[in-house]
Amino acid sequence: MTVFSSDRSVTSLCARFSRWWRDSTHTTAPEVLITAPAPPPLANLVLRREAPEPLRVPAMGDAFDFHVHPAYTWTGKGGSFSEFRERIDGYLGWAGHLVRDQSADLARRREPHRSHQLEQDLNAHFAGKSWPRTGEGPRFTVQVRVLPDQRIRERLRPYWEERISLECAHELATLRTRQAEELTSRWREVLCNLHDDPVTRHAARLTEKQFAQVFGEYAEERRRVPMELADLLRDALKGHHDLGLGPSEYTEAWDAAIRAHQRQYGLAVEPT
């Protein structure tokens, strides 16, 4: 005898068969792996800050102080720039103490009026160094300006005023000398070029008065030279007749007259 199951059992069996058939024939989409983007690199932050007040360090002898003006360059990473600036403001006091401590030994090796030399020494000492040496926080490098004590500056003022005055007077004298040399050379060239022109003396009157006067005196001097030479030769000849000199003696007298003329006008004396 055949026994049939209830309707509920048949329905359940059909439902499970339908699910099995659907699952076995359904194509499953491949799983897609999504990679999260890498976080952006931290931004490099740079801030230059000058100390609000100079640092005072004693000079040689401890009677006067140098005034050291630091300028810090801070670097760091991450965060906003405003937050970075606020952090730097909190570090300025510590940085000032460090720079003063580093400067003290060098400052005591310099006289109070040698601020420029101390500035060079300190900047050479700080070059290539940064602080703090360890840690992930902001770091700074530093450059300095150094000024002497105000009392030293007052003492140095008369010295520099006198030095500036002397240097200016020297430069003015040098300029006048150079201009005089150039002017003299130019006048010499002009006079030499114009001497052989027969109308030059008259044409000189058309120029400025000083030039006309100088050129006239120059031309008169050049005209007088041959006349004086003739007088010297006549005196030599007269001496020859008066003393009864022979031809040889006359030649020597004539030669002496020529040499006297050359010496008078600064001409080269021919060797005997």
Side-chain angles (χ1 to χ4, degrees), residues 9-269:
S9 299
V10 174
T11 302
S12 175
L13 179 61
C14 292
R16 282 185 292 176
F17 179 78
S18 297
R19 285 197 301 270
W20 171 82
W21 180 260
R22 185 174 61 251
D23 292 340
S24 62
T25 58
H26 179 68
T27 304
T28 304
E31 183 178 357
V32 178
L33 299 178
I34 300 176
T35 304
L42 297 178
N44 292 322
L45 302 175
V46 180
L47 178 64
R48 181 178 173 85
R49 294 294 296 272
E50 294 188 2
E53 297 292 337
L55 307 174
R56 300 179 62 178
V57 291
M60 180 182 293
D62 293 340
F64 299 96
D65 293 332
F66 290 114
H67 293 207
V68 180
H69 297 257
Y72 308 101
T73 300
W74 294 86
T75 58
K77 291 185 177 182
S80 66
F81 191 78
S82 59
E83 294 175 349
F84 181 66
R85 184 169 53 237
E86 291 178 359
R87 295 177 64 188
I88 297 308
D89 290 340
Y91 289 143
L92 286 178
W94 167 76
H97 287 297
L98 187 147
V99 172
R100 181 167 49 232
D101 292 342
Q102 296 269 329
S103 304
D105 290 340
L106 290 174
R108 282 197 168 94
R109 301 176 191 174
R110 289 293 183 182
E111 296 88 344
H113 60 291
R114 305 293 185 184
S115 57
H116 180 65
Q117 286 84 349
L118 177 61
E119 180 177 307
Q120 293 178 329
D121 293 343
L122 290 178
N123 283 323
H125 172 73
F126 291 132
K129 298 179 181 178
S130 62
W131 293 271
R133 300 303 178 92
T134 60
E136 299 296 331
R139 303 169 64 84
F140 76 88
T141 58
V142 63
Q143 289 183 318
V144 299
R145 291 183 302 110
V146 181
L147 297 178
D149 191 286
Q150 183 62 33
R151 293 169 293 174
I152 297 297
R153 299 179 70 177
E154 294 299 330
R155 292 287 184 89
L156 291 175
R157 190 183 304 276
Y159 161 77
W160 281 105
E161 289 177 350
E162 181 68 17
R163 177 171 176 172
I164 291 171
S165 177
L166 290 175
E167 289 183 355
C168 290
H170 174 73
E171 291 180 2
L172 182 60
T174 302
L175 178 62
R176 286 174 175 170
T177 302
R178 183 166 59 250
Q179 290 180 341
E181 291 176 350
E182 294 175 355
L183 186 60
T184 301
S185 176
R186 180 57 182 158
W187 278 121
R188 183 185 300 111
E189 181 181 352
V190 170
L191 294 176
C192 291
N193 291 338
L194 297 180
H195 175 261
D196 296 332
D197 191 340
V199 300
T200 296
R201 190 170 183 181
H202 301 283
R205 299 193 183 99
L206 300 177
T207 64
E208 61 180 18
K209 183 178 179 180
Q210 183 181 11
F211 173 77
Q213 180 181 355
V214 172
F215 185 79
E217 294 174 355
Y218 169 74
E220 180 64 24
E221 180 75 11
R222 299 281 295 203
R223 184 187 65 81
R224 195 168 59 246
V225 168
M227 297 176 62
E228 293 179 354
L229 177 59
D231 292 339
L232 288 173
L233 295 178
R234 279 194 296 269
D235 291 342
L237 181 61
K238 181 179 179 180
H240 162 71
H241 290 300
D242 293 342
L243 299 177
L245 299 177
S248 177
E249 290 83 355
Y250 172 76
T251 301
E252 293 178 357
W254 183 87
D255 183 65
I258 292 297
R259 290 179 178 279
H261 171 72
Q262 290 175 326
R263 293 190 186 95
Q264 181 178 359
Y265 291 98
L267 303 175
V269 179

